[in-house]
């Protein structure tokens, strides 16, 4: 199981890995209702380096990004589930809407995003490149989403009244 870390601990880990010539990969997302697309994204991200740090958006951040009714699961549970994945080495929860500040602080060798992005459309692209890192797209084609999963559940079981 991956270790949940604070930003300070993540910065120390990143510095140690870099000093040892190892590649830290940073992935981030909401991970609300974990599905196979998330798993494939994180497995693909892990293959890009020596350690994978996953930044999970806080509840407040998910509400800003996804709107009313989200997240479905609280941040502590989402972080715990992500940390249980074998591809993940470290997990932290962050409150920003993008990972720009994390990238500036951690200076990962690679910032991985899922296939709903291209290397050119990754919001943090400029931050990554300015820190000397690279942007990579990982996972399978975008055919899974938490939103679609929620819609499937609502169709199958009806909206609670």
């Amino acid at each position: 199981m991956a270790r949940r870390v604070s930003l300070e601990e993540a910065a120390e880990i990143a510095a140690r890995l870099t000093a040892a010539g190892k590649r830290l990969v940073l992935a981030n997302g909401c991970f609300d209702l974990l599905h196979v697309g998330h798993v494939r994204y994180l497995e693909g991200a892990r293959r890009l380096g020596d350690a994978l740090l996953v930044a999970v958006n806080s509840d407040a951040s998910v509400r800003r990004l996804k709107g009313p009714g989200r997240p479905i699961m609280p941040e502590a549970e989402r972080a715990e589930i992500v940390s249980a994945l074998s591809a993940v080495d470290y997990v932290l929860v962050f409150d920003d809407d993008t990972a720009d500040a994390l990238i500036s602080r951690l200076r990962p060798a690679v910032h991985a995003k899922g296939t709903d992005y291209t290397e050119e459309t990754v919001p943090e692209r400029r931050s990554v490149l300015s820190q000397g890192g690279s942007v990579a797209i990982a996972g399978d084609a975008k055919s899974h989403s938490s939103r679609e999963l929620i819609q499937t559940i609502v169709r199958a079981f009806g909206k609670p009244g």
Side-chain angles (χ1 to χ4, degrees):
M1 188 155 175
R3 195 169 110 212
R4 181 145 176 210
V5 296
S6 67
L7 179 55
E8 289 303 318
E9 290 169 315
E12 291 170 12
I13 291 163
R16 269 197 316 270
L17 287 168
T18 301
K22 307 253 181 189
R23 293 169 50 90
L24 174 65
V25 179
L26 173 66
N28 71 288
C30 298
F31 304 102
D32 202 11
L33 292 183
L34 194 72
H35 54 72
V36 71
H38 292 132
V39 173
R40 292 173 182 164
Y41 158 49
L42 296 176
E43 287 175 344
R46 179 60 178 85
R47 288 191 292 272
L48 298 170
D50 299 297
L52 175 61
L53 171 67
V54 179
V56 175
N57 289 79
S58 70
D59 291 346
S61 175
V62 174
R63 277 191 291 280
R64 289 190 303 270
L65 293 167
K66 302 293 185 178
R70 302 287 295 275
I72 300 297
M73 295 188 307
E75 63 193 44
E77 291 179 14
R78 291 182 287 115
E80 183 176 343
I81 290 169
V82 168
S83 72
L85 299 174
S86 61
V88 178
D89 297 296
Y90 307 99
V91 174
L92 68 81
V93 174
F94 75 112
D95 197 41
D96 298 325
D97 293 348
T98 69
D100 288 305
L102 290 175
I103 289 162
S104 294
R105 182 76 190 274
L106 304 176
R107 302 174 59 99
V110 180
H111 179 53
K113 293 296 277 186
T115 57
D116 42 341
Y117 293 93
T118 66
E119 288 185 22
E120 292 74 31
T121 63
V122 170
E124 302 88 355
R125 176 181 171 77
R126 188 171 304 196
S127 295
V128 174
L129 297 178
S130 74
Q131 298 295 326
S134 64
V135 173
I137 304 303
D140 64 350
K142 179 73 173 178
S143 60
H144 318 279
S145 77
S146 295
R147 184 175 304 283
E148 289 173 5
L149 183 57
I150 291 165
Q151 290 170 346
T152 299
I153 291 167
V154 168
R155 277 195 306 272
F157 298 100
K159 246 185 176 164

